[in-house]
Amino acid sequence: MSSSDPRTRRVITRAWQIPTCEGWIWSIEPDPETGLGGAGHACKARASHHIAAVRYTGGAHTPADRDVCRAHLAAELDHLRREHAWTWRLQRVAMPAPTITALTLTVDVRGWAHGHKRWHLTETDATTTVIALELFSTSPPIPTPPPRRDRTARPGAPAPQLALFTL
Ligand SMILES: [Zn+2]
């Protein structure tokens, strides 16, 4: 991979290293009047995109990166845009637009052939590309490597025919 290639690739050997969506799913919506209460849980679907963003908190720019699935990408960007608009309105501080990176997880077939569970996480810039969104969060299946061929299990050459017995 050349240095001009916009993609970066990370090797993943443990399942917990696979980025998961940080979006929030409400099972009970909070009170619309007070914004209090409610119950929910983190999405935890496999993240399809990474948002690199900056927030303005306490008078300083702080990084606010997030991993999201296709169902939570739009909501997260919306929230960020609204927050940036408020920062401009109240503090007159212009915030940089977020950058979006597409995350692609593939199986390292060579590693797998040697008995190592390994994946490659490829990051491609997707800030200007059209992204297909989903209504519900899903973790698409990771392509699995072809089954290992076991040499001992392969059938041997067919036994020579004995023409004598058939006479
Ligand atoms: Zn999600």
Side-chain angles (χ1 to χ4, degrees):
M1 214 176 282
S2 71
S3 59
S4 61
D5 198 315
R7 293 176 300 173
T8 57
R9 209 167 69 152
R10 251 195 299 153
V11 174
I12 282 182
T13 53
R14 299 273 184 273
W16 60 261
Q17 293 173 309
I18 298 171
T20 53
C21 177
E22 295 168 67
W24 190 258
I25 297 172
W26 290 107
S27 41
I28 304 164
E29 290 280 341
D31 190 325
E33 305 247 318
T34 59
L36 299 172
H41 59 93
C43 172
K44 293 281 174 200
R46 201 163 66 242
S48 64
H49 291 84
H50 177 85
I51 303 171
V54 183
R55 285 206 162 102
Y56 194 72
T57 45
H61 292 74
T62 46
D65 287 22
R66 292 205 107 185
D67 291 323
V68 285
C69 71
R70 287 177 188 277
H72 286 112
L73 178 69
E76 199 58 46
L77 288 174
D78 247 23
H79 180 77
L80 202 67
R81 191 180 47 77
R82 251 179 284 138
E83 202 180 292
H84 284 181
W86 276 110
T87 306
W88 175 248
R89 207 175 293 173
L90 301 174
Q91 271 121 355
R92 291 286 147 193
V93 178
M95 302 300 288
T99 56
I100 303 161
T101 318
L103 309 173
T104 315
L105 197 69
T106 47
V107 166
D108 177 1
V109 180
R110 265 173 84 186
W112 217 282
H114 290 91
H116 304 294
K117 275 192 180 179
R118 269 203 312 238
W119 296 271
H120 289 298
L121 186 73
T122 313
E123 301 181 1
T124 326
D125 182 60
T127 307
T128 53
T129 53
V130 177
I131 300 165
L133 301 175
E134 284 172 2
L135 199 54
F136 301 103
S137 32
T138 49
S139 293
I142 310 167
T144 49
R148 278 178 78 175
R149 280 188 303 177
D150 196 343
R151 281 171 193 273
T152 54
R154 217 181 289 171
Q161 293 280 325
L162 294 174
L164 277 174
F165 290 121
T166 58
L167 286 172

